[in-house]
Amino acid sequence: KKLWSTMKKHKLVGKNQLVSAAYQGMHPHGAVLDTVEISLKMEGKIMPLIIKRNYGGEGVSIDAVNADPNKWLKAITVMYKRPGFDPAANDWFWAKYLPDGSLDKNPAGMQLAGKVARTPDGPKGCIGCHQGAPGGDFVFINDKY
């Protein structure tokens, strides 16, 4: 909740959110995406935050999302660096929010926040997928972490 409210305060989520240019996405995130990478101050520390907005629905396209992102938004996936949180996953805190700010849940009903890893009978989860990112930093868009 604290991360969501901090992102909202900085206009990174919500109706008047700052967005970047939409681009072609892929599973599991969505048909169209936009990504914002910034440093965010929370709890007295300035740390990296990567926000990926996941767009979808019948008729979704890059042009449609650029024209009206809120109409197509399905989820907001977040990576927030928290020193000491999870050294095995490069200290990333993971979350998948629905557009209203509530946490999404996996098929077993577990909220998707924190150390979102593989479940025994489910998909890879955030950590399981991102551990394969080039550079070993769990980030696909660059190798700076």
Side-chain angles (χ1 to χ4, degrees):
K1 289 181 183 182
K2 185 170 191 163
L3 180 56
W4 180 266
S5 67
T6 302
M7 291 189 302
K8 192 168 188 175
K9 175 182 159 191
H10 292 282
K11 298 189 185 275
L12 298 169
V13 294
K15 289 221 179 257
N16 297 315
Q17 66 193 354
L18 305 170
V19 296
S20 64
Y23 60 93
Q24 188 66 47
M26 58 188 265
H27 182 74
H29 287 283
V32 177
L33 306 171
D34 90 77
T35 301
V36 174
E37 178 183 16
I38 66 160
S39 294
L40 180 72
K41 184 175 184 178
M42 194 168 85
E43 299 174 342
K45 296 179 184 163
I46 299 172
M47 299 305 298
L49 171 70
I50 301 170
I51 301 170
K52 186 169 285 181
R53 293 187 195 86
N54 308 261
Y55 302 99
E58 181 136 357
V60 71
S61 68
I62 292 170
D63 289 339
V65 168
N66 283 333
D68 187 1
N70 290 322
K71 177 179 177 180
W72 304 98
L73 184 63
K74 300 298 178 199
I76 300 106
T77 50
V78 174
M79 295 172 66
Y80 180 65
K81 190 79 129 161
R82 293 181 64 194
F85 175 71
D86 185 7
N90 209 22
D91 287 331
W92 290 107
F93 173 90
W94 312 83
K96 182 178 181 185
Y97 296 98
L98 298 175
D100 67 1
S102 62
L103 287 168
D104 199 2
K105 296 178 182 175
N106 70 11
M110 180 185 297
Q111 290 185 326
L112 299 175
K115 298 176 185 179
V116 183
R118 176 187 294 272
T119 57
D121 60 344
K124 288 183 176 182
C126 303
I127 295 170
C129 182
H130 281 256
Q131 69 187 3
D137 63 358
F138 290 76
V139 177
F140 284 98
I141 58 173
N142 58 48
D143 289 332
K144 24 188 234 195
Y145 303 105

